[in-house]
Amino acid sequence: MVSNAKRIVIVGAGHAGGALAAHLRQYQFEGSITLVGSEELPPYQRPPLSKVCLTGPLNPDELLLRPESFYEQKDIDLLLGTQVIAIDRGKKQVSLAAGAPINYDFLVLACGASARELPVAGAQLNGVHHLRTVDDATRLKATLKSTAHLAIIGGGVIGLEVAASAREMGINVTIIEQQDSLLTRLASPDCSRFFKQLHESRGVDFLLGAQVYALHGDNGNVQSVQLQDQILPCDAVLVGIGSSPNISLAQQAGLSCNKGVLVDHNGITSDPNILAIGDMTQRPVLGLTESICLESVPSALEQAKIAASYLAGRPAAKEQNPWFWSDQYDIKYQVAGLPSLSQESIMRGDMETGSFSIFHFADEQLVAVESINAPRDFMMARKAIDTKQSINPELLADNTKEFKAALA
Ligand code: FAD
């Protein structure tokens, strides 16, 4: 717990950085707060970029986490369009690409992650898109207006969400995935199958177990995807092959990093005066002995809250189990806990009706839930996971009984 910090500098004005600045003021931190972000927009939400922003209007102001005036009102110095290029840990100072260095007592890195680039020839052709920022979404949206066939490389969350949006816009979609199934990092095999069937029923084509060798174009514009045994014609490509934590600044400063910047429960890095939060971190997670990277809004918000409590000298905020959501067509997929821990699973509801939950147990304890259009089950299960409540699996599987009948 720290209560004597005077100057806090936050690098990265995204979901985590913006939430941290707001929490610090909410927790009566009275020192100076400088929030530096390389994008031109104040902190904004990214989840709508693959969803309603593609199918409906994209108005950046509507994405803002808080109106720009909030930062002035709360005496938060917001430096937008400003890149931090180095950290001098000895002087406790950060250098900017333009402008005078800024001194800190505590530095918080909230640099997020970047969309991974496709390492093949042709990846720079016009019509090849990534999706991380509002600028990326604006460019993709403009391209989709004249796209008849979109090839999506990667069957993860971003790929599937963009596929759903593109189908709603009447665009033909082929998803190319190198694994034999979808959502491999997140979903159980049952949910993975459900999503494949869902997308097929909406007209999406899949090429699974397929490797991309090159992208071909004409006049600088992408025209096809070269696979091992075929060439897939297309007039736009979305690359959705995951993201890489933005750790170069931390690495240059000599902070301990693995896949992400290594942090403890409070977000403290290997330097006690530097914290890190959000997608750039590799963090401890309830129920796991090793630390992992979690790229989600709930994780960023949780870490922001915990770090703010620490810096404002308040009692530690409570840890939560990881959770996540994704919207595709009229389906809301919600996950709490880590389905990868599952030793045994049971289903409640009916996959055919598009409303069901899969509950995952390990050592007879509920450790994770995946709900498809079943928000009530999700809410109850999330609470049961957090409180380690005993559950009777047979009663839980019986859809004619209320969820609470299964609680011991
Ligand atoms: P970011 O929000 O990426 O913010 C980091 C900021 O730091 C960026 O603005 C970056 O430009 C800036 N920055 C980096 N380096 C520097 C530097 N050196 N100097 C200054 N500024 C710097 N999560 C969910 O839970 N559910 C969803 O449905 C969901 N959908 C998503 C859809 C899309 C299209 C995307 C891209 C993400 C989605 N996510 C979703 C993930 C979620 O948006 C991220 O987990 C969240 O934004 C992480 O917040 P962050 O602050 O760590 O990173």
Side-chain angles (χ1 to χ4, degrees):
M1 230 199 280
V2 173
S3 54
N4 57 352
K6 293 282 181 289
R7 292 166 304 182
I8 294 178
V9 174
I10 305 167
V11 184
H15 229 119
L20 172 67
H23 277 306
L24 282 169
R25 286 296 183 235
Q26 189 190 338
Y27 296 164
Q28 272 85 49
F29 173 76
E30 288 174 354
S32 75
I33 304 174
T34 307
L35 179 56
V36 191
S38 47
E39 290 183 69
E40 298 292 341
L41 263 191
Y44 64 91
Q45 318 176 47
R46 295 178 202 278
L49 297 179
S50 44
K51 310 171 181 96
V52 292
C53 290
L54 295 180
T55 52
L58 197 179
N59 179 356
D61 285 344
E62 286 173 10
L63 297 175
L64 298 186
L65 293 177
R66 293 168 190 83
E68 192 159 2
S69 56
F70 169 87
Y71 302 92
E72 204 181 331
Q73 279 161 18
K74 296 290 176 187
D75 196 18
I76 296 165
D77 208 2
L78 184 59
L79 303 183
L80 296 175
T82 307
Q83 182 85 17
V84 171
I85 52 167
I87 304 168
D88 185 329
R89 289 166 54 191
K91 288 188 187 160
K92 288 198 187 162
Q93 194 177 70
V94 294
S95 307
L96 309 180
I102 311 175
N103 297 317
Y104 64 83
D105 295 312
F106 277 88
L107 179 67
V108 184
L109 301 176
C111 302
S114 298
R116 224 173 263 151
E117 308 249 329
L118 193 65
V120 301
Q124 310 305 327
L125 287 164
N126 294 326
V128 179
H129 292 265
H130 296 86
L131 184 53
R132 180 76 199 180
T133 65
V134 86
D135 290 345
D136 293 339
T138 307
R139 280 189 291 267
L140 175 62
K141 196 174 165 68
T143 297
L144 291 182
K145 277 192 185 135
S146 55
T147 295
H149 187 180
L150 173 68
I152 296 182
I153 302 175
V157 173
I158 301 281
L160 293 186
E161 288 187 348
V162 172
S165 301
R167 285 304 297 140
E168 282 175 20
M169 296 161 80
I171 297 168
N172 293 323
V173 175
T174 304
I175 295 183
I176 302 160
E177 164 59 54
Q178 63 177 5
Q179 307 281 334
D180 291 328
S181 57
L182 306 172
L183 293 171
T184 42
R185 283 198 311 140
L186 177 69
S188 64
D190 282 335
C191 276
S192 166
R193 254 192 318 276
F194 170 80
F195 277 105
K196 181 156 180 283
Q197 283 164 7
L198 170 74
H199 281 273
E200 279 171 342
S201 73
R202 307 293 173 112
V204 174
D205 290 326
F206 285 100
L207 294 170
L208 299 183
Q211 196 72 39
V212 173
Y213 287 89
L215 303 180
H216 300 304
D218 186 36
N219 271 334
N221 299 318
V222 72
Q223 284 201 320
S224 62
V225 181
Q226 172 80 58
L227 302 162
Q228 188 168 10
D229 47 7
Q230 65 169 300
I231 291 179
L232 178 78
C234 63
D235 35 22
V237 170
L238 173 80
V239 179
I241 56 172
S243 55
S244 314
N246 292 330
I247 57 174
S248 58
L249 196 60
Q251 280 175 321
Q252 280 161 22
L255 300 176
S256 299
C257 298
N258 190 344
K259 282 185 187 147
V261 180
L262 295 170
V263 295
D264 72 4
H265 160 68
N266 285 312
I268 301 170
T269 66
S270 52
D271 178 332
N273 288 94
I274 304 182
L275 284 73
I277 55 176
D279 281 11
M280 71 179 298
T281 63
Q282 188 168 329
R283 50 162 294 180
V285 171
L286 284 177
L288 280 187
T289 45
E290 74 274 26
S291 60
I292 57 171
C293 296
L294 282 178
E295 294 135 31
S296 75
V297 168
S299 169
L301 294 181
E302 181 200 19
Q303 286 184 300
K305 199 168 178 181
I306 292 175
S309 302
Y310 175 79
L311 291 167
R314 285 168 56 104
K318 204 167 162 285
E319 279 176 275
Q320 63 179 24
N321 278 289
W323 69 277
F324 184 79
W325 82 92
S326 171
D327 297 315
Q328 297 167 36
Y329 310 103
D330 47 357
I331 295 291
K332 183 169 278 297
Y333 174 51
Q334 294 168 294
V335 187
L338 300 168
S340 57
L341 298 178
S342 181
Q343 292 168 350
E344 214 180 314
S345 62
I346 61 149
M347 189 180 296
R348 177 179 166 85
D350 181 1
M351 222 185 238
E352 298 302 313
T353 65
S355 169
F356 66 95
S357 293
I358 298 177
F359 299 89
H360 299 280
F361 290 82
D363 300 326
E364 297 182 3
Q365 189 72 46
L366 182 64
V367 291
V369 61
E370 296 169 279
S371 294
I372 302 280
N373 281 357
R376 207 175 137 67
D377 280 356
F378 175 75
M379 226 170 58
M380 301 277 288
R382 199 179 145 206
K383 196 165 161 210
I385 295 167
D386 282 342
T387 55
K388 293 194 169 20
Q389 188 147 16
S390 295
I391 300 226
N392 180 323
E394 284 78 39
L395 289 175
L396 191 59
D398 184 346
N399 207 25
T400 63
K401 298 211 163 48
E402 291 270 315
F403 187 111
K404 60 181 181 221
L407 300 175

